[in-house]
Amino acid sequence: MTGPAIPDKVLEIADAIREMRIRGAGRIARAAAEALMIAAEGYSGGSVEEFRAYMEEVARLLLETRPTAVSLPNAVNYVMNRLRGSRPGSVEEAKRIVVEAAREFIEYSLQAVRRIGEIGARLVRTGDVILTHCNSSAVESILKTAWRQGKRFQVYATETRPRFQGYITARHLAEEGIPVTLIPDAAALYVVERLATKVIVGADTVAANGAVINKIGTSQIALAAKMRGIPFIVATETYKFSPYTVTGQPVEIEERSPREVLEQPPPGVEIRNPAFDATPPDYVDMIVTERGIIPPKSAALVLWEMFRRRPLDSGQGIAMEESEPTA
Ligand code: RI2
């Protein structure tokens, strides 16, 4: 690199996303926006063009951390497109543009999670037994809001091997006073067949056809819910809808290190660690977003409304000409 060095704090955030110390599609998006803000604030000297090149490099660094959750490129593009589409007269003005866009995104994102809580809580009834998988802030928001409204229900949380994010869910719900039972992932069908009245999970990406990409194991729970005939509900902010899938670009499923599964596999044993799977839209009853509840087949309409897309020859595939969020 020829320009100024990327600040340590930004490198730390990128590293934390890669290593999953910062995780959860929404948090990753907010952390990326924050990293862009920190990078802009820490920049000194150079011309506006040099600043642009430097910010593009920071954007690339963040985009390369994890491949699946589209909230990451959507957040990065939300901020960067503001810079790309503006003609600032000075570096200071260019920095301000980045900082304002990043703040806007973070604020929108936090509000969206709260709003999903309010909307999704209407689907929760006293007496419900709700199964969830992995750890989703959007799902937690629904459950905590419903609980605070006085609804009384219980939750089953899967452990979510290999990173055990289900423990985070269980701890957070227990702190709120919500009765929560942790189960091994393999017990999900048992719980759906005998106990659960609904399933609520988060999302990392929603494709244009309404398929939901979420933590590995989600699709088998959806299959179980379909077999049993109980609602399978997805809670997600709209910036997890993927504009790339409109043009048929497949969602890349992250394959993480086998060492997360087993530190020392027996000789001759191969280990694979796909982190996500895709649940077909036919298995999804509804998607709770901050803009309301939609059937999965309406995902394309949400994308159409959100992104006025235009293929840009930016070397990054399709970029958004203008991306929401608008509150
Ligand atoms: P929120 C997580 O991915 C889980 O798959 C979770 O369902 C999804 O992000 C959405 O989480 P990971 O980062 O944005 O743990 O709702 O691999 O918090």
Side-chain angles (χ1 to χ4, degrees):
M1 165 171 167
T2 47
I6 295 174
D8 284 350
K9 179 72 189 150
V10 173
L11 298 173
E12 272 167 33
I13 291 174
D15 206 47
I17 294 173
R18 201 175 297 113
E19 301 300 324
M20 290 180 66
R21 292 191 299 283
I22 296 173
R23 50 144 300 282
R27 280 202 183 83
I28 290 170
R30 289 192 292 277
E34 194 191 339
L36 290 168
M37 182 160 81
I38 293 168
E41 280 169 337
Y43 183 85
S44 61
S47 64
V48 170
E49 283 321 302
E50 281 164 342
F51 176 71
R52 283 185 197 281
Y54 159 83
M55 287 306 300
E56 291 294 347
E57 175 150 1
V58 175
R60 265 194 304 279
L61 169 83
L62 293 165
L63 290 172
E64 281 163 7
T65 52
R66 291 187 76 189
T68 301
V70 77
S71 52
L72 175 63
N74 280 350
V76 168
N77 283 327
Y78 181 82
V79 177
M80 291 301 294
N81 285 352
R82 198 69 72 77
L83 179 64
R84 290 169 190 148
S86 63
R87 297 281 165 270
S90 67
V91 170
E92 282 313 305
E93 195 188 334
K95 286 165 71 169
R96 251 196 323 274
I97 287 168
V98 170
V99 169
E100 269 170 25
R103 286 216 177 104
E104 237 174 63
F105 180 87
I106 293 167
E107 182 50 35
Y108 181 90
S109 167
L110 293 170
Q111 261 183 33
V113 175
R114 278 196 291 274
R115 188 78 189 120
I116 288 169
E118 290 161 11
I119 296 172
R122 295 181 197 141
L123 302 172
V124 177
R125 310 244 176 283
T126 287
D128 265 341
V129 178
I130 297 165
L131 175 71
T132 190
H133 184 53
C134 199
N135 175 253
S136 157
S137 313
V139 174
E140 278 193 16
S141 180
I142 291 175
L143 298 174
K144 287 178 184 172
T145 306
W147 188 260
R148 287 171 196 168
Q149 289 171 349
K151 294 176 180 175
R152 291 297 171 256
F153 53 89
Q154 28 170 331
V155 177
Y156 279 81
T158 57
E159 284 184 304
T160 320
R161 273 189 61 84
R163 297 294 295 249
F164 298 106
Q165 297 100 317
Y167 286 68
I168 305 172
T169 304
R171 194 177 66 241
H172 288 174
L173 297 184
E175 280 164 8
E176 187 70 30
I178 300 172
V180 56
T181 306
L182 199 60
I183 54 166
D185 298 339
L189 177 59
Y190 178 96
V191 169
V192 168
E193 269 183 339
R194 293 159 203 245
L195 303 165
T197 55
K198 47 187 68 125
V199 175
I200 313 181
V201 297
D204 292 81
T205 291
V206 178
N209 69 351
V212 172
I213 291 80
N214 192 47
K215 184 57 52 185
I216 191 80
T218 302
S219 61
Q220 50 199 28
I221 297 173
L223 182 60
K226 181 90 177 167
M227 275 167 51
R228 168 80 199 291
I230 62 169
F232 183 87
I233 300 164
V234 174
T236 176
E237 305 89 297
T238 50
Y239 53 78
K240 295 176 193 158
F241 285 55
S242 168
Y244 307 101
T245 57
V246 173
T247 51
Q249 200 170 307
V251 178
E252 182 183 341
I253 300 292
E254 179 179 15
E255 181 109 17
R256 294 187 61 84
S257 165
R259 299 174 79 89
E260 289 184 347
V261 178
L262 195 57
E263 197 59 48
Q264 284 185 319
V269 174
E270 193 196 337
I271 293 192
R272 287 194 55 186
N273 185 17
F276 300 99
D277 61 25
T279 298
D282 288 350
Y283 293 4
V284 178
D285 289 279
M286 54 190 117
I287 302 181
V288 182
T289 78
E290 75 279 14
R291 294 165 174 232
I293 297 173
I294 62 155
K297 294 275 164 64
S298 296
L301 294 175
V302 171
L303 281 162
W304 188 252
E305 190 201 321
M306 281 178 67
F307 300 102
R308 277 188 286 132
R309 291 175 320 97
R310 171 169 71 109
L312 295 181
D313 188 17
S314 60
Q316 301 164 62
I318 291 184
M320 271 77 71
E321 179 187 19
E322 182 184 68
S323 60
E324 292 281 294
T326 52

